[in-house]
Amino acid sequence: MQEWQNEETNPSLLRKSLITGMGACSAGGIDLRTLWKNTLQGTVTASLEIFPPLQDALPVYRAPRLHDTSKSQSLLRQADRSVHLALQAGDEAWRHAGLEMAKIKPERLGVIIGSARGPVTFQEQSFSSSLNIGRRSRASTSLYTAFSSISGIIAKKFQAEGPCFVVSSSCTSGATALHTASGMIQSGLLDVVIVGGVDAPLTPTLLEQYYQTGILSSCKKPRDALAPFDLNRSGTVLGEGAAFVILESDASARARNAPILGRLDAISLASHGRHRAGVDHEGLSLQKTLRHCLKEASLLPGDVDLLHLHGTGTRLNDLLESQAVALFFGNFKEQPYACATKAITGHTLGAAPLFQLVLTLCSMRDGMIPPLTNTKDLDPACTLRFVLTKTQRHSLSTALCLTAGFWGNVASMIVSTSPLAP
């Protein structure tokens, strides 16, 4: 275990960013309640599909078909699949927080979304159509192919007039969105922020691109294809989905007596740039972001009860992630419990950090650590403290989520459920 020095730190700027609502929509469940149930039970809903121009069937995680009957139906008629997923999860988070539009100043409400690929389905369709002779784009195409269409429709739905935009930093996009939202709350600019991560990457062109990288699972049994940290893992499986939280200032939450789901104690973002497609081979970037995150939260490694890992199921990234975490937290007995849940949701790209966060909050709320689904034979090189067979009950007050992405992006988030000072 690396030597840890107690250093004098400045008070955390994020210490009083509170989470008061959450929601999710993915292949693992159309809502967060269903997703959490399937996570605990290890229920996998991946399927095998053929995507031209690939002459090969690929396992994918496709979210349920959505039927919108709300007043937003006209807005969604031309919108990308990602927008539909985002609105489903965002609406659940809003309702969970018990918010009322009439009681929030519109200029104090913001929308910040993280997405790696944006409205890629609609982009792919519209750009393909425009190349065909005799076909012209609709006047509205420029609106709905923009990344900002996701945040814009969410803002219109909830009448938000504060900052409204989409950020993109590959698979850490959701964490980047959360970090940005926290800063706006702590600066006093906003009282409430609808924060989400969303991606809908199941398009022929995008899947073909990922297929060519060699990182997709070669397993033809879709429900077994994504096996994080398994000795025989063969790659990751893409999934579509959206996960959202309501981030709120402590003053706003207390004023309306909102139930507090968790406190965001710290977020650390970094990049290393030496490896375009993954973690640096020494694991230094992951260890760096872990150290910075704990320092920001004024915590020691032993204070963390649960780690929610990236766990993509690729041979190299799972190995490098586990080695970096083991070096940082020490030998097996010194480590906090660890979990990884992409076998339930699939790899949802920029939405992944938010899925990790909401499922971590469910773990902390219920005191339950989910098993490592699909991992039948744990890789002995991945010496982390996983729960392998069935859900384990454990008191959890502080948890850390770790994620990584293309172009060397890494992120870690610390959330706690300890009592808040009056």
Side-chain angles (χ1 to χ4, degrees), residues 333-380:
K333 291 184 179 180
E334 294 178 313
Q335 295 172 13
Y337 282 102
C339 67
T341 54
K342 283 186 175 60
I344 305 299
T345 63
H347 192 345
T348 55
L349 304 183
L354 267 297
F355 273 106
Q356 289 175 256
L357 179 61
V358 298
L359 290 173
T360 295
L361 288 168
C362 289
S363 281
M364 299 172 79
R365 178 196 65 199
D366 298 343
M368 302 176 79
I369 303 171
L372 199 57
T373 299
N374 278 352
T375 304
K376 300 177 176 61
D377 189 5
L378 184 65
D379 188 340

Side-chain angles (χ1 to χ4, degrees), residues 192-251:
V192 181
V193 187
I194 303 169
V195 187
V198 61
D199 266 300
L202 305 185
T203 72
T205 301
L206 193 55
L207 280 163
E208 195 270 339
Q209 292 171 4
Y210 274 90
Y211 181 83
Q212 295 299 336
T213 68
I215 67 172
L216 297 184
S217 175
S218 60
C219 178
K220 298 306 179 186
K221 296 181 180 179
R223 297 190 179 186
D224 299 327
L226 205 167
F229 305 100
D230 190 89
L231 181 62
N232 299 308
R233 64 189 182 278
S234 63
T236 198
V237 180
L238 297 190
E240 56 178 15
F244 273 65
V245 295
I246 301 299
L247 204 63
E248 194 164 354
S249 70
D250 58 336

Side-chain angles (χ1 to χ4, degrees), residues 47-74:
S47 58
L48 205 62
E49 298 184 22
I50 297 176
F51 294 86
L54 289 174
Q55 298 303 313
D56 193 8
L58 294 179
V60 295
Y61 286 78
R62 188 176 293 280
R65 185 185 179 98
L66 303 177
H67 301 279
D68 188 87
T69 57
S70 69
K71 295 179 181 179
S72 305
Q73 195 169 22
S74 59

Side-chain angles (χ1 to χ4, degrees), residues 5 9 21 35 38 44 57 89 92 110 114 123 206 226 238 258 316 321 325 330 350 390 396 400 403 412 422:
Q5 297 178 349
T9 61
L35 173 60
N38 288 336
V44 180
E92 182 184 9
Q123 288 175 343
L206 193 55
L226 205 167
L238 297 190
L316 187 58
E321 182 180 23
V325 169
K390 60 181 180 179
L396 305 167
L400 187 150
T403 190
S412 57

